[in-house]
Amino acid sequence: MTNPAYDVVAIGNAIVDILATTDDAFIAEEGMTKGSMQLMFSPQEADALYAKMGPGQEVSGGSAANTVAGIAALGGRCGFIGQVADDELGRIFKHDINNAGITFDTVVRPGEPTTARCLIFVTPDGQRTMNTFLGASQFLPEGALDRDLIAAGAILYLEGYLWDPEEPRRAMRTAIEIAREAGRKVAFTLSDVFCISRHGGDFRTLIADGLIDILFANENELIALAEVDDFETAVAAIAPQVPVLVATRSEQGAIAVANGTRAEVPAEPIDAVVDTTGAGDLFAAGFLHGQAQGHGLEKSLRLGAICAAEIISHYGARPQSDMKALIAEKLGQA
């Protein structure tokens, strides 16, 4: 097995986020579930909701793309595979991710549908309610995979969101095979409870077959995956099935369990929660960066907590601080 040229190579939805502030009344009027993600199934539906948004800002997003952007900001070497269309949003996404120092060479998809977009409504308490039109991202074909790139990454990181469409689901299964053949680790994030409701059987099979080395979940996702009623019972059920389990609990911090050893960290304190968009993505960035650098569970968790705190202190799911300097300050390093 050759030394990896990349710390993490991720496969995920290539999305441009459009963020705007709103109030709880608007969320209720539009029939949204506050703090959750729902899919929009046509560009017309996305256009209609976009027309109701207040002034917003466009920021490249997508769960796994946010994670590798965070790792790159920490100094890690990353690659990304995801599908965009030949349109303005696709060009915005490519520019942003390449500008972050991330290798992204997936061939653009001509014609319709457009590049994916996520309309994010942020309420005064910082909660984000997401409405996603997957567009071109749900048509990532197996043939678009850069096999050499996948084999060159120490860790292959996959997002549960992309498991929903059939074509990228096949591509991710192939990517797992490529990573396994190259002797690399596979990390997987469950992404959302709705992903588990639709594909929990697939996820449990991946775990049972020993194909997942690092599993990321928040508290509700882990409970849904384990099909139990409380967090600790879920941890006890899932942790023995994966080499590393990482579970986040918002203001209650996070835990990791590896081969029976458990580590916990509190949430990193901040002055105010501005926008929770990308909190889990950046927690994964910090943790994976720590693992890629050979750190233990507790330090990797702490890195995750610091990254998550930085993200929720401003709008958008990409870091705005000098992350290397922030980590040095928080961990007391020179």
Side-chain angles (χ1 to χ4, degrees), residues 16-20 50 53 56-59 117-121:
V16 176
D17 293 338
I18 304 172
L19 299 100
Y50 177 69
M53 294 185 81
Q57 56 178 301
E58 294 179 348
V59 184
R117 49 185 148 152
C118 183
L119 309 183
I120 302 175
F121 297 90

Side-chain angles (χ1 to χ4, degrees), residues 73-160:
L74 292 167
R77 304 160 298 166
C78 298
F80 180 75
I81 298 170
Q83 189 66 68
V84 297
D86 186 12
D87 56 18
E88 183 60 28
L89 288 180
R91 286 184 283 276
I92 289 172
F93 183 90
K94 181 173 177 57
H95 170 270
D96 288 352
I97 200 163
N98 286 156
N99 194 53
I102 298 163
T103 298
F104 173 60
D105 296 317
T106 308
V107 176
V108 300
R109 188 176 190 272
E112 297 292 335
T114 61
T115 294
R117 49 185 148 152
C118 183
L119 309 183
I120 302 175
F121 297 90
V122 184
T123 43
D125 59 359
Q127 288 295 310
R128 83 287 185 265
T129 303
M130 301 183 292
N131 300 266
T132 304
F133 173 58
L134 290 172
S137 69
Q138 63 187 319
F139 296 101
L140 176 71
E142 184 178 344
L145 296 178
D146 185 332
R147 292 172 175 265
D148 291 339
L149 179 65
I150 294 168
I155 301 170
L156 172 67
Y157 182 66
L158 307 172
E159 64 171 85

